[in-house]
């Protein structure tokens, strides 16, 4: 007992250091508030405004067939997901940036705890491995995950800790509580469908290979799945019982040739994906290959076999991801609608768990060798922590020049526009050019344009009439809208797929061709453009006024449809 005490004390000290670094990482969100710089893509340009629109609509608990009138003349309530999601309630109870900071904190703290508990109990229980346990748990918790995913990927180690303990028949009420609560702060389709499928395959392997019909383990998988399906009842209804065709029915995702698919395999394997960023390329991957070289030369024990399995699985997940977009799938996707409406490529969302768990095992393999390899393991942990720290949102997005939360949503500027128009916002519809529609939505305007995961297909076809001539000018935009279409934007061929023309921009639209008659018929009265439209009169548009202030990155040209 006396011999182990120093190691236990060192582990506690290391945990406190990790907690301090995690708090330091999160501190800009609390110190800067709305002046903080955070991710724009699939965050500021969508989800954060969605939560505000949903809360403000009064339809948080709306029925299955409820509509959100502020968006596209009646966006189905189900497009905003379940009311039982923890992140929705954070945004309902707190201002947007406070909710964002709290969500980041909750996610990263439980990511740290989950990976630490998983390693300590099931993979690296040795007392002398404390540095690897704590270090890998910290690096995993610092990964730049997709914010609205919550614990969809970063909660997987916590779930795996619970499932493996139940599998060993050593579970207490704590493991079952984890399985019951995690679904309230995670997404089924953005992570846990794929994780639970993997757990079922593990149970099936036990049943076939080991002849172990582990019913508590199977029951735990069914239990968590049932909780998820109950919480995500809106999604289940939309997928299985939706009568009206949605925009997802026109998805065409399998377009890549064989060699483009192979290239995507290695791109994903080496660089990862924007929604599940792991930043594993420069430090973790070399460590994995060094450990792999040691393993294939030496006798393989449990540690080495687990490492090899995860090493191979990491690559297999990238292969699956890439080949989901191979054109050979398309005939099958056209025949079975679910293959279009549900993205089965997302098995690669398991990769953060796989990569960082394999990283821990690789470091342990190095640790067991000569002293110089122990030093290398420590250096690798330090370098990976520094790399992840440098990717802190405040550092990363400030350097590349994206606007802060306050600058992006520009509430003061849009309040001026609202007052200038001088009519109830519900009495007219607007659309945006050169900036994201959610900015107008966040500020209470009723928009014909939007960015949403699904909406009625009939609306897509009607809206397309407004921008048909612009789509005809650009094959890229035409394919983007017709074969995906989640961004229902007033596209301009001259602007392309760019939606952040700021007041410092000198860009002008000279040859815009919109069907403003259709726009007006749909209720559209005003266009918010971040660039001047030089041929406005030809499009039956009249410039009313320009708006600009020091708190915003935008200069808004307010056009009225005549």
């Amino acid at each position: 007992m006396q011999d182990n005490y120093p190691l236990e004390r060192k582990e506690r000290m290391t945990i406190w250091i990790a907690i301090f670094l995690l708090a330091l990482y999160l501190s800009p969100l609390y110190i800067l508030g709305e002046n903080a710089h955070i991710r724009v893509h699939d965050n500021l340009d969508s989800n954060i405004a969605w939560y505000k629109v949903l809360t403000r609509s009064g339809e948080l608990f709306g029925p299955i067939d409820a509509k959100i009138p502020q968006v596209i003349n009646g966006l189905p309530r189900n497009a905003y997901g379940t009311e039982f999601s923890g992140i929705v309630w954070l945004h309902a109870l707190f201002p947007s940036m406070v909710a964002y900071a709290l969500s980041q904190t909750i996610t990263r703290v439980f990511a740290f705890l989950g990976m630490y508990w998983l390693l300590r109990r099931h993979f690296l229980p040795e007392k002398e491995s404390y540095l690897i346990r704590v270090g890998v748990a910290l690096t995993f918790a610092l990964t730049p995950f997709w914010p609205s995913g919550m614990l969809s990927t970063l909660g997987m180690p916590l779930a795996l800790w619970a499932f493996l303990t139940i599998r060993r028949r050593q579970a207490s009420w704590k493991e079952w509580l984890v399985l019951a609560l995690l679904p309230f702060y995670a997404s089924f389709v953005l992570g846990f469908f794929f994780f639970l499928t993997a757990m079922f395959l593990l149970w099936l392997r036990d049943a076939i290979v080991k002849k172990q019909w582990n019913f508590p383990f199977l029951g735990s998988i069914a239990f968590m799945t049932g909780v998820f399906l109950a919480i995500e009842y809106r999604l289940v209804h939309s997928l299985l019982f939706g009568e009206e065709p949605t925009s997802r029915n026109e998805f065409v995702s399998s377009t890549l040739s064989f060699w483009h698919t192979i290239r995507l395999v290695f791109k994903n394997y080496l660089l990862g994906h924007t929604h599940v960023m792991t930043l594993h390329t420069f430090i973790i991957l070399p460590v994995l290959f060094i450990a792999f070289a040691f393993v294939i030369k030496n006798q393989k024990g449990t540690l080495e076999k687990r490492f090899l399995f995860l090493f191979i699985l990491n690559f297999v997940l990238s292969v699956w991801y890439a080949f989901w977009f191979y054109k050979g799938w398309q005939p099958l996707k056209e025949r079975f609608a679910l293959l279009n409406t549900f993205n089965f490529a997302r098995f690669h969302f398991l990769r953060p768990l796989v990569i960082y768990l394999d990283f821990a095992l690789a470091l342990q393999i190095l640790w067991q060798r000569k002293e110089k390899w122990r030093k290398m393991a420590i250096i690798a942990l330090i370098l990976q922590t520094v790399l992840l720290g440098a990717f802190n949102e405040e550092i990363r997005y400030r350097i590349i020049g994206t606007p802060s939360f306050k600058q992006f949503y520009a509430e003061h500027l849009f309040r001026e526009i609202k007052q200038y128009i001088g009519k109830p916002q519900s009495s007219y519809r607007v659309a945006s050019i050169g900036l994201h529609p959610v900015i107008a939505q966040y500020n209470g305007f009723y928009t014909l344009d939007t960015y949403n995961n699904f909406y009625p297909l009939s609306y897509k076809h009607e809206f397309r009439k407004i921008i048909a001539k612009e789509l005809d000018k650009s094959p890229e935009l035409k394919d983007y809208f017709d074969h995906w279409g989640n961004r229902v934007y007033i596209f301009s061929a001259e602007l392309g797929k760019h939606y952040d023309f700021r007041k410092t921009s000198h860009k002008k639209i000279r040859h815009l061709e919109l069907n403003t008659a259709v726009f007006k018929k749909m209720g559209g009265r005003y266009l918010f453009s971040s660039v001047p439209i030089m041929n406005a009169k030809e499009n039956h548009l009249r410039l009313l006024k320009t708006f600009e202030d020091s708190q915003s990155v935008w200069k808004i040209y307010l056009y009225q449809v005549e």
Side-chain angles (χ1 to χ4, degrees):
M1 188 73 176
Q2 290 293 325
D3 292 340
N4 291 332
Y5 179 73
L7 284 178
E8 292 173 357
R9 184 171 63 181
K10 287 178 182 179
E11 185 164 9
R12 285 197 297 270
M13 289 178 60
T14 308
I15 290 172
W16 280 112
I17 291 171
I19 292 171
F20 170 76
L21 292 175
L22 192 55
L24 186 65
Y25 185 92
L26 291 164
S27 62
L29 296 173
Y30 292 96
I31 295 170
L32 297 175
E34 291 192 353
N35 292 313
H37 295 75
I38 62 176
R39 174 183 173 130
V40 173
H41 177 61
D42 285 350
N43 191 37
L44 282 175
D45 71 354
S46 48
N47 295 77
I48 289 178
W50 294 353
Y51 305 134
K52 190 174 185 72
V53 169
L54 175 60
T55 303
R56 191 168 50 205
S57 71
E59 295 291 350
L60 181 59
F61 291 98
I64 288 288
D65 59 351
K67 306 285 185 183
I68 309 294
Q70 188 186 339
V71 183
I72 66 169
N73 288 327
L75 179 72
R77 163 65 185 85
N78 292 352
Y80 284 141
T82 179
E83 60 269 40
F84 299 113
S85 170
I87 197 169
V88 169
W89 277 99
L90 284 178
H91 281 267
L93 296 172
F94 300 100
S96 296
M97 268 309 298
V98 174
Y100 186 83
L102 290 172
S103 181
Q104 286 279 315
T105 304
I106 292 167
T107 302
R108 296 190 186 281
V109 166
F110 281 98
F112 174 80
L113 291 174
M115 181 60 82
Y116 174 74
W117 291 342
L118 176 65
L119 292 173
R120 187 180 65 177
R121 185 159 193 172
H122 295 290
F123 288 89
L124 299 177
E126 301 84 2
K127 293 190 185 303
E128 60 271 15
S129 300
Y130 74 91
L131 198 59
I132 297 173
R133 283 196 294 269
V134 178
V136 171
L138 175 62
T139 55
F140 180 75
L142 295 180
T143 54
F145 71 102
W146 177 52
S148 289
M150 304 167 286
L151 287 166
S152 301
T153 54
L154 292 198
M156 287 182 186
L158 185 59
L160 185 57
W161 163 80
F163 277 124
L164 292 182
T165 306
I166 293 169
R167 180 174 175 247
R168 285 183 178 179
R169 300 177 188 271
Q170 297 174 348
S172 65
W173 60 269
K174 297 175 184 176
E175 287 77 12
W176 289 92
L177 183 64
V178 164
L179 299 186
L181 294 182
L182 256 178
F184 290 92
Y185 215 76
S187 167
F188 189 58
V189 297
L190 296 172
F192 268 89
F193 167 83
F194 311 100
F195 178 83
L196 289 165
T197 300
M199 289 300 97
F200 177 74
L201 292 175
L202 177 60
W203 176 85
L204 198 61
R205 174 194 171 276
D206 287 346
I208 295 172
V209 177
K210 297 182 179 181
K211 308 299 182 185
Q212 294 178 358
W213 299 88
N214 192 332
F215 289 110
F217 182 32
L218 179 62
S220 67
I221 298 169
F223 171 71
M224 192 179 201
T225 302
V227 175
F228 262 116
L229 293 178
I231 289 171
E232 299 275 9
Y233 74 98
R234 293 182 184 274
L235 173 69
V236 173
H237 182 273
S238 298
L239 285 175
L240 300 181
F241 307 110
E243 297 177 359
E244 184 180 19
T246 73
S247 56
R248 302 185 78 88
N249 289 95
E250 288 190 344
F251 278 13
V252 178
S253 56
S254 294
T255 59
L256 297 183
S257 68
F258 178 79
W259 290 113
H260 276 87
T261 304
I262 295 298
R263 186 170 67 180
L264 184 58
V265 168
F266 287 97
K267 179 182 177 183
N268 182 260
Y269 179 72
L270 295 173
L271 302 176
H273 186 278
T274 181
H275 285 151
V276 282
M277 291 183 69
T278 47
L279 298 183
H280 65 283
T281 310
F282 302 109
I283 296 157
I284 294 179
L285 204 57
V287 169
L288 295 183
F289 274 98
I290 291 169
F292 177 74
F294 283 136
V295 168
I296 60 175
K297 291 180 181 178
N298 297 285
Q299 187 175 1
K300 300 171 184 61
T302 302
L303 173 66
E304 290 77 13
K305 288 178 181 177
R306 286 177 169 178
F307 168 81
L308 281 176
F309 171 76
L310 293 171
F311 186 86
I312 294 168
L313 178 60
N314 181 29
F315 185 72
V316 169
L317 290 171
S318 289
V319 172
W320 173 262
Y321 164 76
F323 271 90
W324 185 253
F325 303 105
Y326 174 55
K327 62 184 179 182
W329 274 101
Q330 194 53 38
L332 196 61
K333 290 183 177 181
E334 290 174 357
R335 186 172 180 182
F336 298 101
L338 185 62
L339 298 180
N340 257 339
T341 55
F342 191 88
N343 188 355
F344 287 94
R346 287 176 177 154
F347 274 101
H348 77 103
F349 277 25
L350 294 169
R351 291 190 72 219
L353 167 65
V354 170
I355 289 171
Y356 277 84
L357 187 52
D358 210 28
F359 181 43
L361 300 183
L363 292 174
Q364 181 69 10
I365 289 168
L366 298 186
W367 194 265
Q368 292 175 348
R369 310 193 74 80
K370 296 179 181 179
E371 185 65 26
K372 66 176 184 179
W373 292 110
R374 289 194 172 194
K375 291 180 180 178
M376 182 180 174
I378 295 173
I379 291 171
L381 272 175
I382 293 172
L383 289 177
Q384 184 64 17
T385 304
V386 171
L387 174 64
L388 289 162
F391 262 72
N392 180 288
E393 284 186 299
E394 186 59 38
I395 297 172
R396 180 185 177 194
Y397 293 116
R398 183 182 287 270
I399 288 175
I400 65 176
T402 61
S404 67
F405 178 97
K406 189 174 186 178
Q407 292 171 327
F408 184 84
Y409 285 122
E411 292 182 80
H412 182 267
L413 184 70
F414 280 85
R415 194 177 302 119
E416 286 186 23
I417 298 173
K418 173 188 172 183
Q419 291 171 353
Y420 177 83
I421 292 173
K423 294 183 285 188
Q425 288 173 301
S426 61
S427 66
Y428 57 91
R429 302 294 181 266
V430 306
S432 302
I433 299 179
L435 72 164
H436 296 283
V438 292
I439 300 173
Q441 291 173 6
Y442 188 89
N443 286 285
F445 290 94
Y446 285 58
T447 70
L448 293 180
D449 49 353
T450 193
Y451 176 20
N452 283 103
N453 294 327
F454 73 91
Y455 56 93
L457 186 61
S458 58
Y459 188 87
K460 178 182 178 180
H461 292 165
E462 185 68 13
F463 187 90
R464 193 189 190 283
K465 297 174 184 177
I466 301 172
I467 57 174
K469 291 184 178 179
E470 290 298 316
L471 296 182
D472 288 340
K473 296 177 189 177
S474 171
E476 181 186 20
L477 286 177
K478 188 173 185 178
D479 177 71
Y480 187 61
F481 184 81
D482 289 346
H483 296 153
W484 188 58
N486 282 358
R487 292 193 190 273
V488 192
Y489 284 22
I490 300 290
F491 286 114
S492 161
E494 294 171 72
L495 301 184
K497 290 162 61 177
H498 300 283
Y499 329 109
D500 62 347
F501 292 91
R502 303 172 205 171
K503 59 187 177 186
T504 54
S505 171
H506 300 292
K507 185 71 175 178
K508 298 178 181 179
I509 303 177
R510 301 183 185 277
H511 307 290
L512 186 66
E513 292 185 82
L514 299 180
N515 191 332
T516 47
V518 174
F519 180 80
K520 195 169 183 178
K521 180 183 176 183
M522 296 173 70
R525 293 297 179 267
Y526 302 98
L527 279 177
F528 300 159
S529 180
S530 62
V531 296
I533 301 171
M534 306 310 292
N535 65 333
K537 288 185 178 180
E538 297 174 21
N539 288 274
H540 306 286
L541 299 172
R542 178 166 60 94
L543 178 63
L544 297 179
K545 189 179 179 181
T546 59
F547 296 84
E548 180 181 3
D549 68 20
S550 60
Q551 300 177 36
S552 168
V553 294
W554 316 112
K555 182 177 183 179
I556 302 300
Y557 298 81
L558 176 63
Y559 291 94
Q560 184 176 34
V561 179
E562 294 182 326

